[in-house]
Amino acid sequence: KLATTSTGIDVTGTATMDGLTVSGNISSTQGGTAALPKFTLSGSTTTGLYTPASNSLAVTTAGVRRATFKDNGDIEAYEDTGTTAKLFWDASAESLGIGTSSPSRKLTIQGGAGDTLPVRVIGGSGTTTGGIEFQDAATTADYKVQIGSIGDNLYLRAGGAERMRIDSSGRVGIGTSSPLNNFVVAEGT
């Protein structure tokens, strides 16, 4: 049934329409033991957004949970079956877990069974350099430490300059980027 009110309309029952545009807030409530309110996309009953518990918001496609946004700020993204969170943001600890829902550091990356090297760092477009960088919050950019690769070579940079290189033949150079023997220390170092 459709009734007009002082602020708009009131529909009792189901409203079927071929489109809906809302310029204000949408509120959905459901009392008793009935199913939680659900917002369904594309006419599918297994795809949409819903509140699973504790004022959280879950995203589901084809009946499988893909992500959950919890009322405490935590965010979970699930693996393909939708049962285990494999990307987890712990809001209270400000920590990110990849491959785990229990990050023990600010960033925890956990490989799966059989993963011997769970992390790969690739240089940006147009570069052959890939690596990681360490810097404390109080230092300037020139005083950071970098570990990376240039082609098949491993390098260590500190204080804005390359300090050590292990080339693809296993030769180590300290203070030089061109090691000549199995172990070379540049003069003055």
Side-chain angles (χ1 to χ4, degrees), residues 15 23 31 37 44 58-59 81 102-103 105 121 128 137 147 151 155-157 173:
S23 60
S44 169
V59 178
T81 67
S102 302
R105 301 282 190 271
V121 179
T128 58
I147 300 172
Y155 73 84
L156 173 70
R157 292 174 54 93

Side-chain angles (χ1 to χ4, degrees), residues 143-162:
Y143 294 99
K144 60 188 173 270
V145 174
Q146 299 171 326
I147 300 172
S149 65
I150 301 174
D152 291 336
N153 303 305
L154 174 69
Y155 73 84
L156 173 70
R157 292 174 54 93
E162 186 172 325

Side-chain angles (χ1 to χ4, degrees), residues 5-85:
T5 69
S6 60
T7 58
I9 63 169
D10 185 6
V11 176
T12 302
T14 301
T16 302
M17 56 197 87
D18 61 4
L20 175 65
T21 302
V22 178
S23 60
N25 295 327
I26 297 175
S27 175
S28 176
T29 57
Q30 199 157 348
T33 59
L36 293 167
K38 182 188 292 186
F39 176 68
T40 302
L41 303 173
S42 303
S44 169
T45 59
T46 60
T47 299
L49 308 171
Y50 70 99
T51 54
S54 304
N55 297 320
S56 298
L57 176 67
V59 178
T60 301
T61 60
V64 177
R65 186 181 295 193
R66 301 300 179 194
T68 302
F69 302 86
K70 295 188 172 183
D71 64 347
N72 64 359
D74 290 355
I75 301 171
E76 300 173 337
Y78 295 85
E79 39 68 70
D80 63 339
T81 67
T83 57
T84 306

Side-chain angles (χ1 to χ4, degrees), residues 1 3 6 25 82 99 116 123 128-129 136 140 145 147 159 165 181 188:
K1 298 179 178 179
S6 60
N25 295 327
T116 55
T128 58
T129 303
D136 85 33
T140 64
V145 174
I147 300 172
R165 181 178 291 212
N181 299 311

